[in-house]
Amino acid sequence: MIAMARMTFLNLVVATLNLLFTASHSAAQLVPTGQTILLNGLSYYVPPAPVTTVTFRRFKSLPSAGGLVPVTVVNSLVNLQATVQTYGEVDDVWNTGFLEAVLIASNGSYSNHNSTTTYGSSNTTLVVHISSTTTVPPGPYLLSSAGALYQPWRLYTDFAGAFTQPLIPAADGAFAPLPAAVAGIQSPAVAVPSRLYYAKSPSKPLAGVRIGIKDIYDVAGVRTSDGNRAFYSLYPPASTSAVAVQLLIDAGAIIVGKMKTSQFANGELATADWVDYHSPFNPRGDGYQDPSSSSSGPGAGEASYPWLDLALGSDTGGSIRGPAQVQGLFGNRPSHGLVPLTNVMPLAPQLDTAGFEARDPALWTAAAKVLYPSLKPYTTYPKKIQTINFPTNASAGGSDAVVLGFLAKLEGFLGASTTELDYEALWNDTKPKEAGDASLDELLNITYPVLISKEQTMLLRDGFYADYAKAHDGRRPFVDPVPLIRWAFGDSFPASTLTEAISNKTIFMNWWNSIVLPFNEETCSDSLVLYTAGDEIQYRNEYNGYAAPPVLCA
Ligand SMILES: *[C@@H]1O[C@H](CO)[C@@H](O)[C@H](O)[C@H]1NC(C)=O
Ligand SMILES: *[C@@H]1O[C@H](CO)[C@@H](O)[C@H](O)[C@H]1NC(C)=O
Ligand SMILES: *[C@@H]1O[C@H](CO)[C@@H](O)[C@H](O)[C@H]1NC(C)=O
Ligand SMILES: *[C@@H]1O[C@H](CO)[C@@H](O)[C@H](O)[C@H]1NC(C)=O
Ligand SMILES: *[C@@H]1O[C@H](CO)[C@@H](O)[C@H](O)[C@H]1NC(C)=O
Ligand SMILES: *[C@@H]1O[C@H](CO)[C@@H](O)[C@H](O)[C@H]1NC(C)=O
Ligand SMILES: *[C@@H]1O[C@H](CO)[C@@H](O)[C@H](O)[C@H]1NC(C)=O
């Protein structure tokens, strides 16, 4: 009886297992996502797919982890010691741990396959000749016993809180969230590939350049947050990358992640305004200054991380220039319309532009040529400088001596003379008849806030609210105070005010481009106009008044 009962029970269990297996076996999708390793104390992410498979004679047992041996691929054995020393100097991913074996492509010839060479004063490295059907660029790799060569990505902690989502390349030109972590203060890990794999060329001027992308640009395979948690959750991953992002990828840039934006690219002050995402940290001074906005992640990341070469931001009313100013970076607002902003979150299409936060002006120049393909190369510099609200006394203290010293150097370099620009007085003297008697303050007082709020409510908010309501029983998504207040400001004007704002903006633009800063065939603009941003410092731990719309002279 007992035996029979047990049999029945076992049969039942087996039957149930069979059911489970048939039900779940075909549905199970096991997707490897790579692994992380430590080599000489440094963290690396190793993607699941090798870059190539090589053939070689088996070498003696070497230290390995997860079946992988750290190796260095070189182009030539000539001056090996000097070569690997250079690797250490130019690349932050390679380290001496990768010298367990040196691989040299010999394309089928195994002569000398089992030789050793010395590195440094006494360290010995095994030289292994490999054969591969594809060219293997030099640099650090991990080699499996079956000959699979993997490229390790070095992991860094995002201690400045500059990223929303670190990325790695996925299939078909898309990207995927990086499935790796390292120790850090509420920060994700960001992965970067070796600089040794890439050689810049005319068709790949940004080969290997590591770039972060403000999280208002779509990147294929990844969700866009626009700095809002509900927005991130509501919409599926983007199916294509924004045109601006794709131009950079096609030029060889490595997209390492999406970076923080203040919500819907509206200006937010650290930290109270940043309700959904925490404001990134400006590394300047004691590390507790506001990073400015809205390209806060690109600015803070570019200022904080030597391993990040460039960051793509956007500028509508100062969103690149602000973070650059307060974090000691080069940042640009380009001429409007130089690159289409398809698949990029709009603030006001009449003013939205794409540009960079950069530390290296030469790299900025190379990247600008990629991002603005229609930009004509100008051959000479302007010979005139106009300054707005510049200091006049270098002995007066503060930053005045620095600003005037820069001006003197610029004058010397250009062979230019400087005049003070009082554009309000110039407006009073030369204003176009369409402007009537309006002073500049009257003309432009509400132009910018009306443009950004009315355009963004129409182009983004209304659809977002409707889609969210449909998915969530008619409810409203959470939105930070700053965009809410700006949108409400826009709602307080009739639709005709938008037409008026566009007209005022156009009147001003045409006047500025003809009277203040006329075009010049050789020098682009007839003069350089310089202005300073003021020297007021905003700290993260200051409480500010409740958010208000950005009225020019309220
Ligand atoms: C490589 O050389 C060492 C020392 O000469 C020898 O012991 C070893 O067997 C060789 N390995 C192979 C794969 O030829
Ligand atoms: C040689 O190896 C030792 C021990 O692994 C290491 O500490 C040292 O840095 C190495 N020397 C060179 C020149 O790489
Ligand atoms: C190896 O030789 C083959 C045939 O000559 C050639 O097609 C291939 O490009 C070579 N590979 C390398 C890495 O040089
Ligand atoms: C410049 O500033 C210094 C220091 O404050 C002051 O002594 C000097 O009078 C100023 N010169 C002029 C021309 O204002
Ligand atoms: C320009 O004119 C306005 C009046 O329309 C006046 O208030 C303002 O002071 C003038 N500005 C300058 C710099 O002359
Ligand atoms: C600018 O707009 C604000 C708010 O609408 C208003 O209070 C102020 O008087 C305006 N200033 C000018 C110069 O038009
Ligand atoms: C446009 O300019 C007029 C002055 O010419 C001003 O009264 C009006 O407030 C401005 N409107 C906007 C939306 O900028």
Side-chain angles (χ1 to χ4, degrees):
M1 277 303 283
I2 289 166
M4 261 189 72
R6 191 178 293 152
M7 278 275 290
T8 316
F9 176 71
L10 276 176
N11 283 346
L12 264 176
V13 170
V14 171
T16 313
L17 280 176
N18 276 343
L19 265 178
L20 282 174
F21 271 99
T22 32
S24 65
H25 193 252
S26 59
Q29 281 196 311
L30 182 64
V31 180
T33 56
Q35 58 176 305
T36 55
I37 56 161
L38 274 173
L39 181 61
N40 285 357
L42 301 181
S43 290
Y44 293 90
Y45 167 71
V46 187
V51 284
T52 186
T53 299
V54 298
T55 53
F56 61 101
R57 297 267 176 92
R58 190 169 298 280
F59 41 68
K60 64 179 180 181
S61 168
L62 290 170
S64 68
L68 300 175
V69 177
V71 300
T72 298
V73 170
V74 296
N75 287 327
S76 153
L77 289 176
V78 178
N79 294 330
L80 182 63
Q81 294 200 15
T83 303
V84 293
Q85 188 173 342
T86 315
Y87 286 4
E89 284 160 11
V90 303
D91 186 32
D92 53 340
V93 176
W94 186 87
N95 79 56
T96 54
F98 288 99
L99 284 174
E100 287 303 334
V102 165
L103 307 192
I104 171 94
S106 59
N107 210 359
S109 149
Y110 290 106
S111 62
N112 266 342
H113 74 274
N114 188 8
S115 61
T116 57
T117 183
T118 53
Y119 169 70
S121 50
S122 62
N123 298 6
T124 302
T125 290
L126 185 70
V127 175
V128 180
H129 291 254
I130 55 168
S131 170
S132 168
T133 49
T134 55
T135 308
V136 184
Y141 289 85
L142 292 146
L143 178 67
S144 78
S145 56
L149 266 188
Y150 298 85
Q151 289 184 335
W153 292 57
R154 172 127 182 229
L155 293 172
Y156 285 105
T157 172
D158 176 25
F159 60 79
F163 284 80
T164 57
Q165 178 66 74
L167 299 174
I168 44 157
D172 303 325
F175 291 81
L178 170 72
V182 288
I185 303 158
Q186 55 177 1
S187 72
V190 184
V192 300
S194 169
R195 298 191 182 283
L196 301 170
Y197 305 145
Y198 306 99
K200 289 176 182 161
S201 66
S203 67
K204 299 276 180 213
L206 300 181
V209 171
R210 303 156 181 178
I211 297 191
I213 306 290
K214 183 179 185 177
D215 199 5
I216 64 166
Y217 290 83
D218 280 356
V219 171
V222 186
R223 289 170 190 253
T224 303
S225 77
D226 292 348
N228 179 278
R229 303 198 314 159
F231 192 93
Y232 177 90
S233 303
L234 182 63
Y235 294 110
S239 54
T240 45
S241 293
V243 171
V245 173
Q246 195 60 48
L247 284 168
L248 300 171
I249 295 171
D250 292 345
I254 309 295
I255 308 297
V256 299
K258 304 287 287 286
M259 305 188 82
K260 281 183 191 165
T261 173
S262 52
Q263 199 167 84
F264 299 115
N266 286 277
E268 293 187 312
L269 285 172
T271 63
D273 291 342
W274 290 73
V275 182
D276 259 6
Y277 284 76
H278 196 46
S279 170
F281 286 79
N282 179 343
R284 209 168 186 183
D286 64 359
Y288 280 85
Q289 293 179 18
D290 186 280
S292 187
S293 65
S294 64
S295 304
S296 318
E302 186 59 11
S304 301
Y305 306 139
W307 47 263
L308 182 68
D309 299 323
L310 273 179
L312 179 67
S314 69
D315 192 303
T316 303
S319 280
I320 287 175
R321 290 165 288 162
Q325 279 156 5
V326 302
Q327 282 163 127
L329 296 166
F330 296 100
N332 73 299
R333 174 190 170 80
S335 299
H336 186 257
L338 279 184
V339 59
L341 295 177
T342 345
N343 298 320
V344 185
M345 183 214 73
L347 188 48
Q350 296 83 0
L351 295 169
D352 293 343
T353 63
F356 295 106
E357 304 282 359
R359 293 184 307 275
D360 174 355
L363 181 57
W364 176 84
T365 305
K369 284 178 185 160
V370 169
L371 190 61
Y372 316 127
S374 62
L375 188 61
K376 182 185 144 183
Y378 293 94
T379 47
T380 44
Y381 293 110
K383 289 258 180 281
K384 282 187 253 172
I385 298 173
Q386 305 186 75
T387 54
I388 299 170
N389 288 333
F390 252 50
T392 49
N393 183 356
S395 316
S399 55
D400 290 4
V402 177
V403 171
L404 289 172
F406 170 76
L407 178 61
K409 282 186 197 147
L410 188 64
E411 283 174 334
F413 174 72
L414 299 176
S417 57
T418 299
T419 51
E420 171 77 20
L421 170 61
D422 181 347
Y423 58 85
E424 271 187 41
L426 192 57
W427 170 265
N428 284 356
D429 290 345
T430 62
K431 67 182 147 204
K433 58 178 182 317
E434 309 91 271
D437 321 325
S439 70
L440 216 40
D441 281 355
E442 285 157 354
L443 184 85
L444 298 179
N445 190 25
I446 56 167
T447 307
Y448 177 73
V450 163
L451 261 173
I452 59 168
S453 58
K454 287 209 95 59
E455 289 288 19
Q456 194 167 53
T457 49
M458 193 164 66
L459 298 172
L460 184 140
R461 179 198 63 186
D462 295 351
F464 173 42
Y465 277 7
D467 294 343
Y468 190 90
K470 209 185 277 174
H472 296 278
D473 303 322
R475 276 180 286 142
R476 275 251 177 113
F478 177 86
V479 173
D480 281 359
V482 168
L484 277 184
I485 281 165
R486 291 179 171 198
W487 293 346
F489 176 81
D491 290 340
S492 72
F493 294 94
S496 58
T497 313
L498 176 60
T499 318
E500 196 182 292
I502 294 171
S503 160
N504 287 10
K505 182 224 160 222
T506 309
I507 291 171
F508 175 73
M509 178 180 73
N510 291 342
W511 171 76
W512 187 271
N513 288 347
S514 60
I515 304 288
V516 184
L517 200 56
F519 176 73
N520 181 295
E521 276 297 337
E522 267 121 50
T523 61
C524 185
S525 60
D526 187 51
S527 65
L528 292 181
V529 173
L530 307 185
Y531 67 96
T532 60
D535 50 12
E536 199 181 307
I537 296 175
Q538 175 79 41
Y539 283 97
R540 292 170 76 82
N541 56 338
E542 274 167 11
Y543 290 91
N544 304 287
Y546 203 74
V551 175
L552 207 61
C553 31

